[in-house]
Amino acid sequence: MVLHAPETGHSTLLPSAEPVQLIDEHGAVTPHADYDLPSEAELLAAYRALVLGRRFDRQATTMVKQGRLAVYPSSNGQEASQVGAVLATRNDDWLFPTYRDCVALVTRGVDPVGVLTLLRGDWHSGYDPYEQHVAPQCTPLATQSLHGVGLAHAARLKGEDTVALVFIGDGATSEGDFHEALNFAAVFKAPVVFFVQNNGFAISVPLDKQSVAPSLAHKAIGYGIPGKRVDGNDVAAVISVVSAAVERARAGEGPTLIEAHTYRIDAHTNADDATRYRDAHDVEAWRGKDPVSRIDAYLRGTGALTEELAAGYAAEAEAVAEDLRRRLGADPVTDPRELFHHVYADRERLADQARLLDEELALEEGAGQ
Amino acid sequence: MTTLESRVDIPEIPQQATTYTMAQALTAALRDAMAADERVLMFGEDVGALGGVFRVTDGLTRTFGENRCFDTPLAEAGIVGMAVGMAMNGFRPVVEMQFDAFAYPALEQIISHVAKMRNRTRGRVGLPMVIRVPYAGGIGGVEHHCDSSEAYFAHTAGLTVVSPATPADAYSLLRESIEYPDPVIFLEPKRLYWNKAELQLPLRTEPLGRAVIRRPGTDVTLIAYGPTVPHALDAAAAAEQEGRSVEVIDLRSLVPFDDATVTASVRRTGRAVVVAEAAGFASVASEVVARVTEQCFHSLEAPVRRVTGFDIPYPPPKSEHHHLPSVDRILDVVEELQW
């Protein structure tokens, strides 16, 4: 379905009728009038990040089954969306991720153990947001999109050209904070890119029960900002489309809403049973559109990806997995006293309750000896 | 941080004592804070050209420019969520929720993010920001304009909750809240906005976190905060006519709570009544009663009592005087303290 622009001048806000695709599921180039294929070097870097990201995701999935993680929302099938979006940013651009964006964080360079700290359960967020410019992974839906707007607007006031890339899912587009964030970003012309991974399901609820908009990208129009649609399993297209939006934001032209069409191959988390609400045939159909195999086929076709390179990337990914097994395999050492350390800057405020816990711990330690 | 474009010459605050309403004292605090620190920003609904519906931000946009005091779209979660991002990026935002009940759309941002960011990030990200909330009743406001919402905030770990009862405290506590390393919910009693005092600014009163004895007494302690402090003082004056010496404590800060000042007083007087506008059930007043009872039990001559609003939705304007704690109601409860 294609909407007609309400008046001339707004037609550029309309998303395309079809998601932008540059490489099809068989690895063949599908040229696009508005977007160029990224360079071979960029695509090789993307391939490497995809291989690493997938191995990370598989290892985390395994470890949750082994009880080493409390819960794990898999990125399986969505790797191209997360990798492509991050590779379209500079390292000083900020990411505002959700709990399902672990592969995005690994791609940015956050320590994989730091990424999984929340899901292992030793603390809520396991990395320093200022080191890699990554906000804490957000569990309440869409709330972090407003933080992205504030951070981006603050950057502009300081004269910096930092861009904020906000990750959200299809379900979160129903939340009020998503709409407030789009509107605030538009009104303040804040340098924000809203990147929606439409993976088809909000836990069990399919998209057609979430929205009857022609596409989620169409939600941009009401806020006076452009909406874009991209094949979220085509890393080349994601890099191109997000890069254009990031550069537009950096140039002071305001926010963009991008909908990446992808699919959650695994269940919502290990605690979910996806057979209760979706057909195995649908999953199989999406496996045929796998984000890694198509770029693999394309780069082997051009000759850029040699056996040697591929083996090197695979070995690198295996090393990441091994490191995860080693560091996450050990039981975490937590200090219950830390529960009181970060509630307020002034630790004295909870000193009485901290002392109570200290006394209990001292008794336990005494009993254990 | 790079210098902001809107930097301008700030007129000097008059050094001689001048009459300020509480609203004007708040304006002066914002103005002095913005002049002292370019990281301080003010934003919200109608805070720009209009100067806020209570005129607390009057003149700030004119003085500091639209980059530092600005109107936002009408969406409270948006305002607070945006402030979180700006605080993460080096600013010290002050935001205005236009009325108590209009802050409710922002509760998810306040509870899940504002209050928890330092803790979630293991101390790596603090949020120095102030959420100003004109609150409570007594001004003839229609529904949704008169709520006493302090319990929602006070119950949430990570928030600091203060409420001034005098123009001097309004100035001082707001300056201190803006300088504070953690988020502060700054509750402004609407009915006291027009109360006046002679102030010589800038000034500092007792530090945030400290309660003060507004009127010393020996027979009973009235514990009040924000809008009910004047009632407690009036009740104390009336009780004196009847031969009772009543001490009045102004809490000033609900979180952190100044146990030391409150318990020292009640141990001396042996009797205590908490006076608050909010509905009494599961309220800040309940917490005060619990703490006083736990800590002063052996000094008490009578049960610790509360005079609070009824457990009803805030009444329509023509009936609000039946709901609000009155001097008579306070005196009646004082009389029942097993003399």
Side-chain angles (χ1 to χ4, degrees):
Chain A
M1 191 190 328
V2 178
L3 282 188
H4 294 286
E7 54 187 88
T8 53
H10 289 177
S11 58
T12 51
L13 303 181
L14 274 172
S16 50
E18 292 296 324
V20 173
Q21 185 189 66
L22 299 177
I23 297 176
D24 73 13
E25 60 202 75
H26 308 295
V29 173
T30 51
H32 195 280
D34 301 327
Y35 296 97
D36 293 332
L37 199 62
S39 70
E40 203 164 79
E42 283 178 283
L43 290 177
L44 268 179
Y47 175 82
R48 172 177 169 269
L50 284 170
V51 170
L52 282 177
R54 173 155 292 181
R55 187 65 189 91
F56 165 90
D57 189 76
R58 291 299 83 199
Q59 187 61 54
T61 299
T62 300
M63 295 191 84
V64 76
K65 290 175 182 164
Q66 295 165 337
R68 292 293 180 192
L69 298 176
V71 63
Y72 183 67
S74 171
S75 296
N76 190 10
Q78 300 178 220
E79 297 94 335
S81 291
Q82 294 181 26
V83 163
V86 172
L87 293 184
T89 61
R90 282 193 330 220
N91 282 341
D92 62 333
D93 290 332
W94 273 77
L95 310 182
F96 286 83
T98 75
Y99 49 82
R100 199 183 298 288
D101 299 308
C102 292
V103 169
L105 270 62
V106 171
T107 303
R108 172 51 74 87
V110 180
D111 176 9
V113 170
V115 173
L116 292 173
T117 297
L118 164 75
L119 303 166
R120 178 161 74 162
D122 30 329
W123 202 263
H124 305 301
S125 179
Y127 51 89
D128 183 345
Y130 292 111
E131 273 182 16
Q132 310 286 347
H133 304 103
V134 180
Q137 285 167 285
C138 194
T139 304
L141 298 179
T143 50
Q144 83 283 12
S145 41
L146 285 161
H147 309 162
V149 175
L151 184 132
H153 184 60
R156 280 189 85 210
L157 288 181
K158 293 197 288 183
E160 298 167 359
D161 66 352
T162 313
V163 173
L165 174 62
V166 173
F167 289 87
I168 52 169
D170 45 288
T173 65
S174 298
E175 292 280 4
D177 282 16
F178 168 69
H179 295 271
E180 294 187 22
L182 286 179
N183 191 44
F184 272 60
V187 168
F188 290 105
K189 233 177 172 185
V192 186
V193 176
F194 298 95
F195 185 73
V196 179
Q197 289 170 79
N198 172 4
N199 68 11
F201 293 90
I203 301 189
S204 66
V205 178
L207 187 66
D208 61 4
K209 289 185 178 165
Q210 204 68 246
S211 172
V212 295
S215 80
L216 296 177
H218 278 81
K219 291 175 187 267
I221 301 168
Y223 301 104
I225 68 177
K228 304 286 177 189
R229 302 174 70 192
V230 63
D231 178 346
N233 284 20
D234 174 3
V235 76
V238 174
I239 290 174
S240 263
V241 171
V242 178
S243 291
V246 166
E247 290 321 310
R248 183 175 177 277
R250 206 184 304 290
E253 293 167 38
T256 303
L257 171 63
I258 299 171
E259 177 185 14
H261 294 265
T262 182
Y263 196 80
R264 196 192 73 207
I265 295 290
D266 289 352
H268 168 66
T269 67
N270 51 296
D272 178 33
D273 176 6
T275 63
R276 294 175 71 99
Y277 54 82
R278 68 182 187 185
D279 195 327
H281 294 298
D282 293 345
V283 183
E284 279 316 302
W286 275 94
R287 282 189 197 279
K289 301 176 188 175
D290 185 72
V292 183
S293 60
R294 76 172 71 181
I295 187 75
D296 183 290
Y298 169 75
L299 287 171
R300 285 180 197 274
T302 66
L305 182 65
T306 60
E307 272 308 322
E308 192 185 354
L309 266 182
Y313 295 151
E316 212 180 322
E318 211 42 59
V320 167
E322 192 187 333
D323 177 57
L324 262 186
R325 287 196 298 272
R326 183 176 55 79
R327 288 198 285 155
L328 282 182
D331 284 331
V333 179
T334 56
D335 179 3
R337 295 170 184 86
E338 197 185 347
L339 294 173
F340 295 103
H341 288 183
H342 315 298
V343 183
Y344 304 101
D346 176 7
R347 285 190 196 174
E348 275 305 301
R349 288 180 55 171
L350 292 168
D352 288 347
Q353 292 181 20
R355 264 192 294 278
L356 177 69
L357 182 62
D358 274 347
E359 287 163 17
E360 288 179 6
L361 292 170
L363 282 174
E364 277 177 27
E365 282 160 17
Q369 278 169 4
Chain B
M1 176 177 298
T2 55
T3 304
L4 299 163
E5 288 172 14
S6 58
R7 193 90 172 144
V8 291
D9 288 334
I10 311 303
E12 286 289 309
I13 291 293
Q15 293 301 304
Q16 71 276 24
T18 308
T19 304
Y20 286 87
T21 64
M22 179 184 278
Q24 288 166 341
L26 291 166
T27 309
L30 287 168
R31 186 174 123 127
D32 290 356
M34 291 174 77
D37 185 347
E38 65 177 353
R39 298 172 301 174
V40 178
L41 303 175
M42 175 74 230
F43 55 94
E45 296 155 7
D46 302 299
V47 302
L50 181 66
V53 295
F54 292 105
R55 305 294 181 269
V56 170
T57 58
D58 190 30
L60 296 179
T61 300
R62 202 164 54 246
T63 305
F64 297 98
E66 289 210 357
N67 279 352
R68 297 196 59 199
C69 178
F70 52 90
D71 289 324
T72 64
L74 207 164
E76 291 77 12
I79 293 166
V80 173
M82 184 166 172
V84 169
M86 298 195 84
M88 285 176 73
N89 204 357
F91 285 90
R92 289 179 168 261
V94 182
V95 299
E96 177 175 303
M97 301 282 101
Q98 199 160 73
F99 283 86
D100 32 62
F102 303 160
Y104 300 151
L107 280 183
E108 185 185 17
Q109 285 290 343
I110 294 172
I111 293 169
S112 294
H113 293 296
V114 173
K116 293 177 180 162
M117 186 67 86
R118 179 182 295 282
N119 191 58
R120 290 172 69 215
T121 58
R122 224 166 191 158
R124 291 162 176 136
V125 182
L127 295 178
M129 57 186 277
V130 178
I131 301 175
R132 294 182 35 240
V133 187
Y135 87 121
I139 61 163
V142 296
E143 62 172 348
H144 310 300
H145 289 74
C146 299
D147 284 12
S148 289
S149 47
E150 61 268 33
Y152 305 127
F153 304 114
H155 188 68
T156 301
L159 297 178
T160 296
V161 186
V162 304
S163 184
T166 68
D169 263 357
Y171 179 90
S172 184
L173 283 173
L174 185 53
R175 290 294 307 269
E176 205 178 346
S177 297
I178 292 168
E179 292 157 7
Y180 209 65
D182 284 317
V184 177
I185 306 292
F186 193 89
L187 299 170
E188 301 170 4
K190 288 191 286 280
R191 66 193 306 176
L192 305 186
Y193 268 147
W194 301 277
N195 280 18
K196 290 177 183 158
E198 290 283 310
L199 303 179
Q200 193 166 347
L201 300 182
L203 62 75
R204 290 298 164 115
T205 56
E206 296 79 2
L208 192 163
R210 191 85 57 76
V212 298
I213 296 170
R214 291 280 174 222
R215 177 191 173 106
T218 55
D219 299 340
V220 54
T221 304
L222 297 184
I223 303 162
Y225 58 89
T228 54
V229 171
H231 297 86
L233 287 168
D234 289 348
E240 192 172 36
Q241 309 289 315
E242 323 250 313
R244 299 241 190 267
S245 171
V246 178
E247 182 146 301
V248 176
I249 291 181
D250 174 1
L251 291 176
R252 304 171 75 248
S253 165
L254 308 182
V255 187
F257 186 80
D258 183 357
D259 285 297
T261 299
V262 172
T263 56
S265 169
V266 178
R267 282 179 189 141
R268 245 188 308 108
T269 62
R271 290 177 171 84
V273 178
V274 186
V275 186
E277 256 190 53
F281 190 84
S283 63
V284 170
S286 312
E287 175 65 20
V288 178
V289 171
R291 297 177 93 85
V292 169
T293 305
E294 283 173 356
Q295 295 171 55
C296 307
F297 186 77
H298 296 291
S299 308
L300 290 173
E301 305 288 346
V304 182
R305 294 287 301 274
R306 285 173 291 171
V307 179
T308 67
F310 297 124
D311 294 327
I312 57 173
Y314 196 86
K318 300 293 184 208
S319 305
E320 68 178 347
H321 61 285
H322 295 295
H323 171 71
L324 295 168
S326 61
V327 169
D328 283 346
R329 216 173 267 165
I330 297 167
L331 290 173
D332 287 349
V333 170
V334 167
E335 279 314 300
E336 291 166 15
L337 295 177
Q338 304 184 161
W339 299 96

